Amino acid sequence: MTAIALPVSPLAHRARPTEEPVWVRWTLIGLAFTFLTLFLFVPLISVFYEALKKGWEVYIAAITEPDAVSAIQLTLTAAAIAVPLNLIFGIAAAWAIAKFEFLGKNLLTTLIDLPFSVSPVVSGLIYVLIFGLQGWLGPWLAEHDIKVIFAVPGIVLATIFVTVPFIARELIPLMQSQGTEEEEAAVVLGANGWQIFFRVTLPNVKWGLLYGTILCNARAMGEFGAVSVVSGHIRGSTNTLPLHVEILYNEYNFAAAFAVASLLAMLALVTLALKTIIESKNIQNDKGKNR
Amino acid sequence: MYTFKQHSVLPGFNLALGFTLLYLSLIVLIPLSAAFVRTAALTWPEFWNAVTTPRVIASYRLTFGASFAAALVNAVFGLLVAWVLVRYRFPGKKLVDALVDLPFALPTAVAGIALTALYAGNGWVGQYFEPLGIKIAFTPIGVFVALTFIGLPFVVRTVQPVLEDIESELEEAAATLGANRLQTFLRVIFPTLLPALMTGFALAFARAIGEYGSVIFIAGNMPMVSEITPLLIITKLEQYDYAGATALAVVMLVISFVMLLIINLLQWWSRRRSALA
Amino acid sequence: MSIEVRNLSKQFGDFAALRDITLEVKSGELLALLGPSGSGKTTLLRVIAGLEAADAGQVLFQGEDATDQHVRDRHVGFVFQHYALFRNMTIFENVAFGLRVRPKKFRPADVEIRRRVQELLKLVQLDWLADRYPHQLSGGQRQRIALARALAVEPKVLLLDEPFGALDARVRKELRSWLRRLHDDMHITSVFVTHDQEEALEVADRIVVMNEGRIEQIGTPDEVYERPASPFVYEFLGKVNLFHGRLHRGRAWIGGIEVDAPEHTEAEELAAVAYVRPHDIHVDKVANALNGEGAIAAHVSHILSVGPVVRLGLTRDDSEDKELIEVEISKARFRELQLTRGNQVFIKPSRLDLFPAQIH
């Protein structure tokens, strides 16, 4: 820019001094987009493209054949058991950790996060070590004709394991940041424990709770590694949706594999949409509180 | 007097903590300890032999090498994506911001087959590399691609809030003192982001080491070349080599615990940094 | 180095932060921009620094147009309200920053940087803190380091945005007089923004009073305090009593008093307001003592003794208006009058300024 001594400087747009030049800005945006396109957008689009490549009829057939339907049922069943259990666990853990001071609290918080850092394969393996034929409880279970591994209970257990932390880790920081004053006020006013929880605590954390539940559900329905180890891949009986995708793919039935995969991709997109909505709600809530 | 629990008028502590501990023990702690107890049945040389065969060593090398490379790429591009999302305005920004979490939400098997289809020699992306003599799918590069996808959100999501919190005054101060944008970034902004960036890197790395679903489709799974450690555990399990599988699992678990410790330390550092104004 | 600002305007959306501002800062002067929040004073400072670009108008340094110069090239020292120290650097590195980021050609040798930084740290009397980090310092210490950092690049002008705004009252007073002494030693052209009238009156050579993006008055502390150019300045700087009356052809009638108003010879039957400082009011127990007619009868409703002065709150007898008239008299005068609550007194402004009443 030139420094011409005009009586009034032109209304030209001048960049703020802490902004990058336009070409730098667009280069960075372009680079970021290239990366995201290669690793994110194109894979997502390709799922739907491959699923519909052979037409709608193949697509519909793939997701309505009996094995696919039973896989959907098993996936929904596993999630329907794992999510509520982890919801109760998350609330109990958050209540103890966020509202009380006790020894070993930090250790407990770390332990809750543990399943996140364990490889899914290892998560499945440990249940095989306990309930498998050669496992601790294997002989006893065999005697009583109870099947856990290569059966539905094993799949449910593995699903619970990998989703343990989701709701607790959303609730703990949220409830910690809200402190205990409101609950103590409720105690002073004569409320009992359940009244305090349902009338004071729960309304304050409902969005965080929902947020954690949605993420927990997505993972429960999508888990592959851990479930794969304990399932035994029995078509029509111990196959979840992700495992069904694998089987179809390994049979070179790509169109069907991607058709089933597209269901899971839609689940992911719905999860992300709900997550974004809840986040914006949360931001509005925070703003409301600051006022 | 040191007591286990500080006094509180709120009810439900015993019930809540009791349930938490019981649940955690049954679902997580006892099963995890099974791996260690089972391994203890092995003698030390048996254990050592099981976890150091050439095939296992090759799998470590691939798992750690590809995870490290993927986490590194994610550190660089994750920082870039976070920067672009926080600092610039462009069409579709909200959508991009939401989609960054896709690898968290998309089942790994779906990611695995999609990436394989794309990066295979005849795939949308792979076809451009094939003529250059670069094969991506069914090679270690494919493993790297899958792990990059899996780790993508970590760095973005750890760096983003820190970047949003940097006061514009700091950058203005640097500008009044004569620093150009690059100097301001390198000397003022980057050091502030560093703890978060390293936390994101460690999270992506830890996740990549244990990853299974997205990798097995694209890896080709050739022993000694493109076989990751988690897959090797499954292979041993399918051959009824429980001891071998468990020994490897213990190695993976120990690494997980070390990573967890490192991540906790990094997060503590990161929080301390941002707490000190 | 002098600073000249010509016809600056700046909009933030619908909000006009600066409206046609013209101003000159003389070389070596310490100038205060004083005004309430939202008056545009900080925006003006940031435009001078180059941190903000004006929509229209010019900024000149020593007669040369700097309007389109980048903040980097303006060589201004800027001190931020919240210090903006780099938290990842030691105090030493903070002060050295401006020297270290210079292009290689102009960068002093390491030894020289070391010497200069030490010198500056001594100047702000904090050389013993060189190896500490910003978070280990108190607010007052941080602000002095921020100043040392700004001075390290040998700026031609020094700009300070509410430099003492975030400090507690005692530290603020200390730093205020310290800044004044520092300025007297260095004579660097300085502009500082404040909303604290006492601070501006005490420290500045000249004060620019701003309101709603405009300059209300420019003058020395005495001028703006003693001869406020507008009702706004009167009310913003110090306490003031308002007496309502009327203006007509160079004469004004306020209460029972008639005074000359030579500035208002054209006024025809205008409503007027007289602004009177609390210490510009005579008080006596008998009307005659105030020599002549026009004294206003009132009753004492509050008495507040503050150190050497006594503040009286008076209610007028001739009006329903419950608004208190505030009067300040010396303790000696107070003892002489032997006033207690409920006493009748007579008052008469000894000095007043007339403004036509604003029509709302």
Side-chain angles (χ1 to χ4, degrees), chain C residues 137-261:
Chain C
L137 272 58
S138 70
Q141 289 172 332
R142 281 186 223 182
Q143 195 56 292
R144 282 192 274 168
I145 295 301
L147 189 64
R149 183 178 69 176
L151 291 172
V153 293
E154 296 178 322
K156 300 177 293 182
V157 301
L158 188 60
L159 307 173
L160 308 101
D161 183 11
E162 299 261 4
F164 313 125
L167 302 169
D168 61 51
R170 197 181 53 82
V171 181
R172 187 155 48 193
K173 284 211 158 145
E174 269 172 35
L175 276 190
R176 218 189 262 170
S177 51
W178 175 78
L179 178 70
R180 181 67 238 185
R181 287 198 306 275
L182 193 73
H183 183 265
D184 291 342
D185 291 346
M186 305 189 41
H187 273 291
I188 177 168
T189 312
S190 305
V191 180
F192 78 100
V193 161
T194 181
H195 63 264
D196 180 344
Q197 35 134 333
E198 200 184 312
E199 192 168 292
L201 291 170
E202 200 174 300
V203 179
D205 293 326
R206 282 198 307 155
I207 296 175
V208 176
V209 184
M210 291 184 70
N211 184 35
E212 292 180 339
R214 292 199 188 82
I215 293 178
E216 294 275 343
Q217 188 175 3
I218 306 178
T220 63
D222 273 350
E223 280 165 359
V224 292
Y225 188 78
E226 295 295 335
R227 286 187 298 283
S230 67
F232 172 82
V233 180
Y234 237 120
E235 289 184 37
F236 193 71
L237 280 164
K239 297 208 170 83
V240 69
N241 294 298
L242 273 59
F243 292 87
H244 294 271
R246 60 194 175 85
L247 264 173
H248 186 66
R249 298 193 180 165
R251 300 290 291 168
W253 290 265
I254 304 292
I257 323 157
E258 193 180 336
V259 288
D260 281 324

Side-chain angles (χ1 to χ4, degrees), chain C residues 270-283:
Chain C
L270 260 184
V273 183
Y275 284 74
V276 186
R277 296 273 190 221
H279 53 85
D280 285 336
I281 296 178
H282 284 310
V283 185

